[in-house]
Amino acid sequence: MLKESAEPLLAGYDLAMLDLDGVVYIGAAAVDGAPEHLRRARTAGLHLAFVTNNASRPPQRVADHLVRLGVEVGPSDVVTSAQAAAHLLADRLPTGARVFTLGGDGLREALVEEGLEPVGSRDDEPAAVVTGYGPDVVWRDIMVGAVLIRDGLPWVASNTDMTIPTDYGIGPGHGVQVRMLREFSGVEPEVAGKPQRPLLDETVRRVGGDHPLMVGDRLDTDIEGAHNAGVDSLCVLTGVSGLADLAAADRQHRPTYLSRTLEGLFTAHPVPEDDGAQTVLGGWRATVVDGRLCVDGDGRSADDWWRAVVTAAWRYADETGEVADTGDLRPPE
């Protein structure tokens, strides 16, 4: 269930680990209000880290994009799954070890930063294989990597996202390549990116923080990743997750806190009460009747509406093992 914060949420944390797409920006445009919210959070003393599963872009390139959107950030504030993957390999291989690399500039740069040498031929006698999203990776190199993995080289994958946003729509992500390599080789990779914990551990290692908070929009990467790393999470509703996703979320995919926008960093987070028949918060009353999620009342806070509704759905799921039907239920504006 949701956790209560009687004071503004950011007062309880010293680091916000922010997912990018759906939280800070959507495509080429900033999420409405995000730059101002982040500036305000930084002014209040909250450290910010910008965390991405996309291994293709080096941190400087990510930072440059954020700056163009009005976000105050430097490359040291950006942490990528490529960096997490390179750190995993550096912990296992000697300095200067050669790594067969299937990916983009971000992955190669991360390996060099960790004292490893990215290579592209089996003749270079690589000690391991690392893979990540790279739009220019060719089939010939994928074939070589697949054989190296099948023949026993350790394999680290940056992430397993099945989709990635592009200028021409949602496309296949690195997870598609991982699935193919796994099926061919019979080998499971060690995965660095969300929802596995190495990326969040890498973020804390690089940026610092004793009480980190994961802020994301995706339940299956950001929120599950926070659970795996043992940290609290704030789910914002500016990205892909909606009412049906939240209502169906099992315990591993339920956020600690819920807010429509990053404004939730600056507000208290009350939790709903169960009066025996309904879940009540801020003038809203939510319940599940004949399997259908229902809500009424005259509350003023849209965030409280969401908290009451998802709490009712989760209680119903925990009690019955079934997912409440959200039907045509629409949140207030």
Side-chain angles (χ1 to χ4, degrees):
M1 295 299 175
L2 295 171
K3 181 178 177 181
E4 182 177 18
S5 177
E7 57 187 353
L9 189 58
L10 57 67
Y13 301 92
D14 57 3
L15 171 65
M17 302 185 289
L18 296 135
D19 178 54
L20 293 178
D21 199 9
V23 176
V24 181
Y25 57 69
I26 298 176
V31 168
D32 188 32
E36 293 76 15
H37 288 136
L38 296 174
R39 189 177 304 115
R40 181 180 169 194
R42 197 187 293 276
T43 300
L46 185 65
H47 290 94
L48 305 179
F50 299 86
V51 183
T52 177
N53 262 5
N54 189 331
S56 67
R57 296 184 296 168
Q60 182 66 63
R61 199 179 305 167
V62 177
D64 289 344
H65 176 55
L66 291 170
V67 168
R68 287 194 294 271
L69 297 179
V71 179
E72 300 171 10
V73 57
S76 62
D77 301 317
V78 176
V79 187
T80 72
S81 64
Q83 292 173 310
H87 187 71
L88 287 175
L89 286 165
D91 279 346
R92 292 155 175 74
L93 300 174
T95 300
R98 296 171 177 174
V99 180
F100 187 85
T101 304
L102 291 173
D105 292 342
L107 194 54
R108 287 186 287 271
E109 183 177 295
L111 291 168
V112 171
E113 181 186 6
E114 290 287 351
L116 302 171
E117 181 182 352
V119 298
S121 170
R122 63 182 298 123
D123 295 335
D124 293 316
E125 298 182 350
V129 176
V130 65
T131 65
Y133 173 72
D136 299 320
V137 174
V138 299
W139 184 253
R140 177 185 62 251
D141 294 336
I142 293 174
M143 289 177 64
V144 173
V147 172
L148 290 171
I149 293 167
R150 185 198 62 190
D151 290 349
L153 283 193
W155 172 27
V156 173
S158 65
N159 66 297
T160 54
D161 295 34
M162 296 301 292
T163 61
I164 189 169
T166 74
D167 293 339
Y168 42 87
I170 299 298
H174 181 52
V176 175
Q177 185 185 106
V178 170
R179 176 182 290 179
M180 182 273 294
L181 291 171
R182 182 195 295 122
E183 291 181 357
F184 171 80
S185 67
V187 175
E188 286 287 339
E190 185 171 10
V191 179
K194 301 171 291 180
Q196 305 309 316
R197 70 175 294 165
L199 177 54
L200 300 191
D201 289 342
E202 182 73 7
T203 301
V204 173
R205 185 180 77 87
R206 286 175 175 268
V207 183
D210 296 319
H211 301 288
L213 176 72
M214 180 66 213
V215 183
D217 68 307
R218 294 186 69 106
L219 304 183
D220 59 347
T221 54
D222 305 321
I223 306 308
E224 184 180 354
H227 279 283
N228 289 336
V231 302
D232 289 343
S233 62
L234 168 65
C235 180
V236 294
L237 303 173
T238 49
V240 300
S241 294
L243 180 57
D245 305 299
L246 283 158
D250 60 22
R251 292 179 182 273
Q252 191 70 1
H253 295 92
R254 296 175 186 174
T256 315
Y257 306 102
L258 181 63
S259 176
R260 290 184 305 159
T261 72
L262 288 173
E263 179 68 27
L265 289 170
F266 310 101
T267 64
H269 285 247
V271 295
E273 297 181 356
D274 189 345
D275 67 3
Q278 294 177 315
T279 300
V280 180
L281 179 65
W284 300 111
R285 298 179 297 274
T287 189
V288 179
V289 179
D290 295 330
R292 177 167 291 232
L293 194 56
C294 305
V295 61
D296 61 15
D298 55 0
R300 295 186 176 182
S301 168
D303 280 352
D304 284 349
W305 184 95
W306 279 94
R307 293 169 187 140
V309 168
V310 301
T311 299
W314 294 345
R315 284 178 174 153
Y316 176 78
D318 291 345
E319 291 171 2
T320 68
E322 299 178 358
V323 175
D325 180 8
T326 58
D328 58 357
L329 195 61
R330 295 291 180 267
E333 296 296 331

